[in-house]
Amino acid sequence: MPVLSAKKELNYLRILFFLFGLGIMSWVPRFPEVKAALHLTNGGFGSLISTGSLGSLISLFSVGHIVQRIGVRKVLQVASFFLAATLTVLSNTHSPLLFFFANILFGAAISAFHISINAQGFNYQDRTGKFVITQLSGLWSAGALVTAFLAGFLVDRIPLYIHVPLLVITILVIELLLIQALTPELIKAHQNTKLEYKLRDLIQGFSFDRIISFGLICAIFLEFAMSDWATIYTKEEIGIVGGLSTLPFIIFTLTMIFGRFTVHYLLPRITLERLAIYASILAGTSFLVSVFIARTVLSKNSSLAFLVICIGFALAGLGSSFLGPTFMTAANARSKHPASVVIGHVGVANIVLAFILKWIVAWTAQATSLTIGLLIPGILLLTVPFFTKALKSV
C-alpha cells in the first residue's frame, strides 16, 4: 500500500476538517426556520436542540475505545454516512418527536467523527512534531464560516429542505473519497485481538481531569451558544431580519478563524498560560458589554445596536479562538491514554456540562429574555483564568 507524504496527509486532513464544519453547521444559520417548522418556543427549541448531547455522550464514552479496536477509517466512514442522513431528516421534519430521535443520532455521529479526526490530527502532530491542532480547528471554523455565508445568501432563495440535503450529500461523497485516500496513514486497529471493550471496562477506564474539563467548557461554551442562538438573537432581540441576521455569527466565526491561524505568532513573546488569561478576559468582557449595551442603551436604535453586537462578537471570537484547542492539547499531554480515548474522556465531561448549561440558557431565555440567557457564556469565559495552570504542560 502506498505511503502518503506528510504534506499530502496534512492537506487531506485540512480538507476533512473544513468539510466537517461545512456540513454539520450548514443548518445552524437557518435555525429560525427550523424552530418555526417545529412550532416551538425558545425554551422548547433550546431543550430539543440539547438532546443531541445524549447521542454525543454515548459516542464520546465509547468511540475512543472503538477506534482502538477497529481503526479510524471505519469509524469515519460510518460517522460520515449518519451525519448526512440525520441532517437530511432534521432539515425536513415538522415533527418534534422525529427531530428528537434524529438529533440524538446526529449528536452521536458528530462526536464519532470528532474523536476520529482529532485522534488522527494528534497522531500526525506526534509523528511530525508540528503543532497543527489549532490550525485544523481553524479550518473547521472556516467551514462553518463558509456555510454561514452560504446559508445567509440562500435563506430567501432556496428552501431549507433542498439546501441542506443537497449540500451534505455532496460533502459525504467527497469525505468518503478523502478517507479512502488517507487509509495508508490512518490509525489502525489495535493489534491485540483479544482486547474487548465491554461497558464495565469503559467505566473502569474512565478518567476525569477536573481542571481540564471545567476550563474547557468555560472556554468553549460561548461557541456552543453562538451556534444555537446567535441568529435567533439577532432576529428576535435586535430586530434584524433576512440574511443579514447571520452576520454577527459570521463575524464571530471569522475572527475565531483568524485567531486560530495567527496565535502561534504571539507565543515567542508571551506564555500560552498568560495569553489565555488575557484572551478570555477580552472575549468575555467584549461579549457581555456588547450584549448589555445593545439591549439597554441602544434598545430603540436597532442599526446601532447591530453594529455594537458585531464589534463585540468579533472581539469575543478573537479572544476565545484558541482556548478550546489549547485545553484539548493540554489534556492529551497530561494523560497516559491514546489521543482517541483522551478526546472521548474529556468529551464525556464536556457534553454533560454543555447539556446542563444549554438547558439553563434555554429556560433562562424563556423565563426572562434571550439577552439574559446569553450572559451566561460570557460570564463563564471570565472564569477561564482560574483553570489556565493546566496549560503549563503544553
Side-chain angles (χ1 to χ4, degrees), residues 54-387:
L54 299 176
S56 294
L57 182 61
I58 296 170
S59 191
L60 287 165
F61 196 64
S62 59
V63 167
H65 296 276
I66 293 172
V67 165
Q68 294 300 303
R69 178 73 186 213
I70 67 174
V72 162
R73 183 173 65 89
K74 291 181 181 179
V75 177
L76 282 177
Q77 288 171 335
V78 172
S80 297
F81 171 78
F82 275 99
L83 284 174
T86 52
L87 266 175
T88 299
V89 173
L90 291 169
S91 60
N92 278 271
T93 186
H94 295 270
S95 166
L97 182 61
L98 180 57
F99 188 100
F100 170 79
F101 288 110
N103 199 39
I104 290 175
L105 285 175
F106 180 55
I110 287 176
S111 292
F113 198 100
H114 165 75
I115 290 172
S116 303
I117 196 65
N118 276 281
Q120 189 63 38
F122 277 117
N123 178 268
Y124 178 89
Q125 184 169 279
D126 292 341
R127 283 187 284 112
T128 63
K130 298 177 180 178
F131 187 65
V132 297
I133 289 298
T134 301
Q135 179 192 128
L136 293 175
S137 296
L139 283 158
W140 182 93
S141 298
L145 176 65
V146 171
T147 210
F149 273 117
L150 182 63
F153 176 75
L154 297 178
V155 68
D156 295 319
R157 295 175 173 84
I158 296 180
L160 177 68
Y161 64 84
I162 294 176
H163 159 215
V164 172
L166 184 61
L167 178 64
V168 297
I169 291 171
T170 303
I171 289 172
L172 172 62
V173 173
I174 299 172
E175 284 178 341
L176 292 177
L177 292 173
L178 287 169
I179 293 166
Q180 187 61 37
L182 275 167
T183 297
E185 299 300 332
L186 292 178
I187 298 171
K188 305 298 188 295
H190 199 287
Q191 297 302 309
N192 185 359
T193 56
K194 294 182 180 180
L195 190 62
E196 294 182 1
Y197 293 106
K198 299 177 181 178
L199 179 60
R200 181 184 61 190
D201 301 320
L202 298 180
I203 294 173
Q204 291 177 346
F206 181 79
S207 61
F208 178 63
D209 190 332
R210 286 177 293 179
I211 191 170
I212 288 290
S213 296
F214 288 126
L216 179 63
I217 190 62
C218 291
I220 68 172
F221 188 66
L222 178 62
E223 191 173 355
F224 289 161
M226 290 292 289
S227 297
D228 291 346
W229 296 109
T231 306
I232 295 175
Y233 169 79
T234 306
K235 183 177 181 180
E236 296 184 359
E237 299 281 302
I238 305 300
I240 305 298
V241 297
L244 200 59
S245 64
T246 65
L247 185 59
F249 176 72
I250 290 172
I251 291 174
F252 174 84
T253 307
L254 184 61
T255 57
M256 181 166 279
I257 294 168
F258 177 78
R260 287 176 174 173
F261 276 103
T262 58
V263 65
H264 63 279
Y265 291 116
L266 298 176
L267 296 183
R269 300 175 178 85
I270 185 172
T271 65
L272 193 56
E273 180 184 6
R274 187 162 295 278
L275 181 61
I277 292 173
Y278 295 152
S280 59
I281 293 173
L282 170 68
T285 303
S286 301
F287 184 79
L288 291 171
V289 169
S290 65
V291 168
F292 174 77
I293 292 177
R295 291 297 293 137
T296 54
V297 180
L298 302 175
S299 59
K300 295 183 180 180
N301 189 333
S302 60
S303 297
L304 197 53
F306 183 65
L307 176 62
V308 168
I309 284 297
C310 288
I311 294 172
F313 285 14
L315 293 174
L318 180 64
S320 63
S321 60
F322 67 96
L323 298 177
T326 302
F327 271 101
M328 285 302 302
T329 301
N332 189 50
R334 287 159 61 96
S335 176
K336 65 180 186 297
H337 295 293
S340 60
V341 176
V342 174
I343 295 166
H345 286 179
V346 174
V348 168
N350 189 53
I351 211 68
V352 170
L353 293 170
F355 180 79
I356 295 169
L357 288 169
K358 283 188 175 188
W359 271 68
I360 291 173
V361 170
W363 289 104
T364 299
Q366 183 63 29
T368 56
S369 70
L370 188 50
T371 297
I372 301 299
L374 286 179
L375 296 180
I376 295 171
I379 293 170
L380 288 176
L381 266 170
L382 295 180
T383 69
V384 169
F386 295 106
F387 306 102

